[in-house]
């Protein structure tokens, strides 16, 4: 069982995360002991900065368009949409 320094995308904890095989597309999958969930990291690297998700959600909830959020925070439109989608699903 290999422990690696990867922050869980649900709770942002680093230590309980371990490698969990390889998912579709060949990206490594990880499993968080805290959340009991598996996740892939590859697609969350791009905007993986502390607070980025919160900023995106905050801008969206104050009525900022996705395009404008994307250019203000300097992240891709797809990243913004993905975060908002995840946020919606998490509720
Ligand atoms: Zn977790």
């Amino acid at each position: 069982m290999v422990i690696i320094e990867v922050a869980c995308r649900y709770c942002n904890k680093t230590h309980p995360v371990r490698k969990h095989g390889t998912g579709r597309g060949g990206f490594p999958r990880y499993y968080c002991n805290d959340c009991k969930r598996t996740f892939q990291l590859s697609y969350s690297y791009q905007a993986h900065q502390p607070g980025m998700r919160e900023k995106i959600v905050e801008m969206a909830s104050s009525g900022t368009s996705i395009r404008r959020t994307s250019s203000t925070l300097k992240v891709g439109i797809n990243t913004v949409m993905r975060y908002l989608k995840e946020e919606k699903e998490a509720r």
Side-chain angles (χ1 to χ4, degrees), residues 2-78:
V2 183
I3 306 291
I4 45 146
E5 291 291 307
V6 168
C8 168
R9 54 183 287 238
Y10 299 105
C11 66
N12 278 322
K13 282 179 191 157
T14 306
H15 289 295
V17 176
R18 63 177 152 85
K19 206 157 185 267
H20 189 68
T22 305
R24 261 178 305 186
F27 299 121
R29 292 190 64 83
Y30 301 96
Y31 176 82
C32 174
N33 277 328
D34 267 18
C35 305
K36 315 282 188 218
R37 297 171 88 167
T38 59
F39 60 94
Q40 286 182 7
L41 262 200
S42 53
Y43 51 77
S44 58
Y45 267 133
Q46 197 184 350
H48 199 73
Q49 291 172 40
M52 182 58 78
R53 177 186 301 267
E54 287 72 20
K55 279 183 213 159
I56 289 172
V57 171
E58 193 183 300
M59 287 181 80
S61 64
S62 64
T64 310
S65 72
I66 286 172
R67 189 171 294 274
R68 182 157 178 81
T69 302
S70 157
S71 65
T72 303
L73 298 178
K74 305 212 167 22
V75 296
I77 284 177
N78 288 338

